[in-house]
Amino acid sequence: MTTLDRDETHAPTPAPGPAAAGRPLPLRVAAPMAVAAGLALLVAFPPYGVWPLAPVGVALLAAAAHRRRLRAGAGLGFLTGVALFAPLLEWTNLHTGYLPWVLLSLLQAGYLALLGMATAWVSPLADRSRWAWPALTGLLWVGQEALRDRTPFGGFPWGRLAFSQDTSPLLRVASLGGAPLVTFAVALLGGLLVTAVWRGVVARRDARAEWWLAAAAPAAVAVGVGAASLLVPVATAGSGDTVTVAIVQGNVPRLGLDFNAQRQAVLNNHVDATIELAARVTAGQQRRPDLVVWPENSSDIDPLRNPTAGARISQAADAIAAPILVGAVLQGPDAGEVRNVGILWRPGAGPDLEQLYAKRHPVPFAEYVPLRDVARMVSDKVDLVRSDFVAGSTPGVVRAGPAVLGDVICFEVAYDGVVRDTVTGGAQLLVVQTNNATFDVAEARQQLAMVRLRAVEHGRPALMASTVGVSGFVAPDGRVSDATGFNTREVVVRQLRLDDGRTLATRLGWWPEVALAGLAAAALVGAAVLRRRQRIMPG
């Protein structure tokens, strides 16, 4: 008998439902359920995109960890985390070897271990009320993600529940409370699902004639939550001026970590593709763009210091007669330091240093190496990062003339505050410059799902420009247009309507996450109080 089971012998008679089961599920059942939970969550994400399985995965883990000892709950959560993150992040081992991928996957799985432990801890609260279990499930998932998104070294938000819902009706909820509220909605549905099944099974086991009623109420609420999400209004297009934007996906000579050994070829690819676009414009085959966007690392040769690189970019800008947002690597500000930037290059004038955005959230162990001596013992690939990237200090608000851009670079799209700061700073069009040459198409599609959520969250048109794909445009309701292939050279041009309004999510900012995570912390404290009362209750 577990500690929790002993506590429950002195507890008041619970309401019919999960508490009536008396014990946790047998471990021989719970362990496969935990693995199945991770696999269900995995398949919810791109490139698979079976989004209804996300609540199913949440429900399986909630059931497996319910009423367990804390150590067992942590172990089951860890199993779920490994089953989810090891295949989800498989693209990180394509060119770095297996060890960094394994360590990153295990680190992320550790946060689901904490979630499993927390789920076990709040079991007494879940047993006291029919509706407590779904709410607790949603709150704990938000709390876990809030922690994982920030720690260590600034966090790694990949694999948030919200990012699995890019084709789901729940995506609309992002306009009300951003990614945290979408995560809460997904986990709430999972909690309602487990409550319905658990209560129905227990009532059936106890031969209660109304057993189906025990399951029907939570199931009906789950259907209601899903249906209500369809009523959340989202704009299908912006409400402001119309601009024509071109995305240039120049491609690289070869995929892998050594793509930057071909820096001149990569730059030439983007210059040549832009000049070819200009020729089509001159021939009347294509509308002239008001703005051209190149991806991250399109010029890894510092164009401010290298006259040849600068001249080539100027040649492209002059040919197309439109400003180009160039993804470049700049030396400095100090010796041994570099910056990952988006810089506006104007025709006839060259670089506009007033419209330069330096990436605010460099990727640890990829763009800078903390604890380098320790990291080198894990993988000598860290020495490929010869110079540490320095973080920028201001939001990526770039005034490009016809449009105010909200520029974020690569993985920054996963961080709520980095994107939101551009919108509150006046951005009318969200731009994600990225380089997927070191990854694969699965990673690119996972990133595009994040762009779709950001477009809905802030009611803005958006685009993703990649060196190798996937690139494309995203409407304010999350629809993708003109998506490119992977490892191809393509140019796509589209007219967009800008927008400078603010959704409720933009206005509320981080407060939905603060409120939900705060309630999760309160639930943990409440469970501690309840457990203490149960221990001291006279038998």
Side-chain angles (χ1 to χ4, degrees):
M1 181 179 291
T2 66
T3 302
L4 182 53
D5 293 332
R6 289 195 298 270
D7 292 343
E8 286 167 349
T9 61
H10 300 296
T13 302
R23 295 175 179 271
L25 293 173
L27 193 59
R28 66 180 182 276
V29 175
M33 285 180 64
V35 174
L39 296 177
L41 291 168
L42 169 69
V43 177
F45 286 91
Y48 314 104
V50 189
W51 59 264
L53 287 181
V56 174
V58 170
L60 289 170
L61 176 59
H66 187 56
R67 292 182 157 185
R68 309 216 80 87
R69 293 179 182 269
L70 300 186
R71 185 169 59 184
L76 292 167
F78 189 74
L79 285 177
T80 298
V82 170
L84 166 62
F85 286 112
L88 185 72
L89 303 178
E90 188 268 342
W91 43 265
T92 62
N93 78 6
L94 293 177
H95 307 289
T96 61
Y98 288 103
L99 192 53
W101 162 60
V102 169
L103 292 177
L104 178 61
S105 300
L106 294 179
L107 174 63
Q108 300 307 302
Y111 288 91
L112 289 196
L114 293 177
L115 175 63
M117 183 185 299
T119 300
W121 178 253
V122 301
S123 296
L125 288 178
D127 284 343
R128 289 178 68 86
S129 167
R130 171 177 295 179
W131 304 111
W133 202 357
L136 289 168
T137 302
L139 293 173
L140 292 180
W141 269 93
V142 174
Q144 174 267 138
E145 288 187 358
L147 182 63
R148 188 166 65 85
D149 296 352
R150 293 167 173 82
T151 59
F153 307 115
F156 187 67
W158 222 270
R160 297 168 75 177
L161 287 182
F163 296 151
S164 70
Q165 300 298 297
D166 60 314
T167 58
S168 160
L170 292 178
L171 184 67
R172 292 169 169 258
V173 176
S175 67
L176 303 179
L181 191 60
V182 178
T183 285
F184 177 78
V186 175
L188 178 69
L189 288 179
L192 288 165
L193 178 61
V194 69
T195 301
V197 173
W198 189 292
R199 289 182 177 275
V201 169
V202 170
R204 183 75 178 268
R205 186 202 64 184
D206 293 345
R208 295 204 299 270
E210 73 286 0
W211 66 267
W212 59 274
L213 288 174
V221 173
V223 172
V225 170
S229 68
L230 293 170
L231 302 178
V232 178
V234 293
T236 57
S239 58
D241 295 338
T242 299
V243 297
T244 302
V245 182
I247 300 173
V248 175
Q249 177 180 302
N251 210 359
V252 300
R254 57 180 177 270
L255 300 176
L257 290 177
D258 64 344
F259 78 93
N260 57 4
Q262 303 291 320
R263 296 180 299 167
Q264 187 65 58
V266 174
L267 174 57
N268 288 341
N269 284 354
H270 289 84
V271 170
D272 294 344
T274 304
I275 292 175
E276 291 167 7
L277 171 62
R280 293 198 299 274
V281 170
T282 300
Q285 300 170 354
Q286 178 66 64
R287 180 188 297 271
R288 185 178 301 278
D290 301 302
L291 170 71
V292 178
V293 179
W294 288 4
E296 177 191 25
N297 299 126
S298 49
S299 180
D300 270 3
I301 304 171
D302 185 342
L304 302 184
R305 299 193 181 207
N306 186 298
T308 302
R312 289 242 64 195
I313 299 172
S314 291
Q315 181 186 5
D318 294 345
I320 197 64
I324 302 175
L325 183 65
V326 178
V329 174
L330 303 184
Q331 300 298 313
D334 296 324
E337 295 178 338
V338 292
R339 290 169 292 165
N340 190 350
V341 308
I343 181 171
L344 197 68
W345 210 278
R346 297 188 185 275
D352 185 344
L353 299 183
E354 295 297 318
Q355 305 304 323
L356 182 151
Y357 167 62
K359 188 175 183 180
R360 296 168 63 193
H361 202 297
V363 180
F365 304 103
E367 292 178 311
Y368 75 99
V369 183
L371 309 173
R372 185 179 286 268
D373 290 339
V374 176
R376 189 178 291 114
M377 292 188 291
V378 175
S379 172
D380 58 5
K381 298 291 187 182
V382 299
D383 289 326
L384 291 174
V385 184
R386 297 182 179 89
S387 300
D388 285 338
F389 282 76
V390 179
S393 58
T394 57
V397 179
V398 177
R399 303 184 187 281
V404 180
L405 311 179
D407 187 25
V408 297
I409 298 176
C410 201
F411 286 9
E412 287 187 320
V413 70
Y415 296 88
D416 299 343
V418 175
V419 181
R420 184 171 56 245
D421 286 349
T422 70
V423 176
T424 57
Q428 302 166 308
L429 168 64
L430 297 178
V431 173
V432 180
Q433 295 177 287
T434 186
N435 173 26
N436 306 107
T438 56
F439 305 123
D440 63 12
V441 68
E443 182 272 345
R445 294 198 177 279
Q446 290 163 18
Q447 197 171 27
L448 184 60
M450 302 176 197
V451 180
R452 299 178 74 172
L453 183 138
R454 298 306 180 195
V456 175
E457 178 181 7
H458 298 294
R460 292 288 189 280
L463 65 86
M464 185 165 97
S466 171
T467 47
V468 299
V470 176
S471 303
F473 296 97
V474 181
D477 62 357
R479 288 177 296 113
V480 177
S481 302
D482 301 316
T484 64
F486 189 75
N487 196 20
T488 61
R489 175 169 158 175
E490 299 186 48
V491 175
V492 289
V493 182
R494 191 169 187 84
Q495 281 190 306
L496 305 171
R497 291 194 66 185
L498 305 174
D499 204 296
D500 54 11
R502 295 194 179 186
T503 63
L504 181 61
T506 306
R507 294 191 184 99
L508 292 176
W510 65 327
W511 286 110
E513 183 180 42
V514 169
L516 294 169
L519 288 172
L524 295 175
V525 173
V529 172
L530 180 58
R531 283 170 172 269
R532 178 176 176 80
R533 287 178 178 175
Q534 289 176 342
R535 282 198 300 270
I536 65 176
M537 187 175 295

